[in-house]
Amino acid sequence: MNNQQLIKSAHVWFLAVLLGCGLWAVAGTAGVNGQSQNSNQNSNSNSNSNSNSNSNSNSNTANDKQSQNANRSGSRNANATGEQTGMTAGMSSQDRDFLMEAAMGGLMEVELGRIAAQQGASDAVKQFGQKMVDDHSQANTELTTLATSKGITLPTALDDKERQHVTKLSAMSGAEFDRAYVKMMVSDHNKDVKAFEKQSTRGTDPDLKAFAGKTLPTLQEHLTMIKTLDNSQKGSNSNSNSGGSKNSNSNNSNRP
């Protein structure tokens, strides 16, 4: 009887030990799985964090580069604008007005000179017209080069007002053309000499001031020549009128 109880007790303890081992194994497996899951989660979390960090870093780097490029481009544009503004900022309104008027006047002198060289009735008018073409073409070239160095574009065609003068003279011929052309040249060169004298002494831009002083003697020579031609025409007209009057009086005295 005692032996049977001992056997039963041994069975119970054996089952208890087996049960305990089983529970311990299950708990161990669960712990390992939990650690593995935590490790995987941590790994995934670190991976995502690193990925996001790299992405943000790359994005920030790209944005920084774009900002740097934009700033550099903006700086270049600002410098270019500053240089261009600086070129014209030192030129006063008086200098700019003189520059534009001299350019337009030079264009008209050349255009009218060509017409005079072709349509002039007298050799003197034709020769003067050709001199206007030669001298003013050279001055126009120098003035254009100067203006370009200042960042200024000069007109290359006559405006409506100047074109009207050219059209009016172009319709004339013979002695009528000579008188009108000479009269216009006297008026224009009187104005030109005064304008260039003022610019050569009171101009603020040194280059434009030097150009005016260099060109002034040529304009003064033109004015002297055209005044001489004008006086010659007036003298010729006076003699013609005087001769006509004398002939008329002579004819009247011969009448009975």
Side-chain angles (χ1 to χ4, degrees), residues 90-112:
M91 185 171 286
S92 66
S93 59
Q94 174 186 327
D95 289 344
R96 288 194 298 270
D97 290 344
F98 170 81
L99 186 61
M100 293 299 174
E101 290 174 3
M104 185 59 65
L107 289 175
M108 189 178 74
E109 296 291 357
V110 171
E111 186 71 17
L112 290 176

Side-chain angles (χ1 to χ4, degrees), residues 99-203:
L99 186 61
M100 293 299 174
E101 290 174 3
M104 185 59 65
L107 289 175
M108 189 178 74
E109 296 291 357
V110 171
E111 186 71 17
L112 290 176
R114 289 196 183 102
I115 298 172
Q118 295 173 359
Q119 297 181 203
S122 67
D123 290 338
V125 168
K126 289 183 177 181
Q127 292 172 3
F128 183 83
Q130 187 59 49
K131 186 171 181 59
M132 293 300 99
V133 173
D134 297 338
D135 291 351
H136 282 280
S137 292
Q138 181 179 350
N140 292 348
T141 300
E142 294 177 3
L143 190 62
T144 300
T145 301
L146 189 154
T148 301
S149 70
K150 306 290 180 181
I152 299 175
T153 302
L154 295 181
T156 57
L158 296 176
D159 59 19
D160 293 340
K161 179 181 178 181
E162 308 300 336
R163 178 56 61 186
Q164 288 178 359
H165 292 311
V166 173
T167 301
K168 182 178 180 181
L169 280 177
S170 297
M172 300 179 182
S173 61
E176 181 188 21
F177 173 86
D178 285 5
R179 287 192 297 270
Y181 177 70
V182 170
K183 181 178 179 181
M184 179 177 287
M185 289 297 100
V186 170
S187 176
D188 285 352
H189 280 84
N190 272 321
K191 294 177 183 177
D192 291 344
V193 167
K194 290 179 181 179
F196 276 72
E197 283 178 342
K198 179 180 179 181
Q199 185 65 29
S200 65
T201 56
R202 302 181 188 177

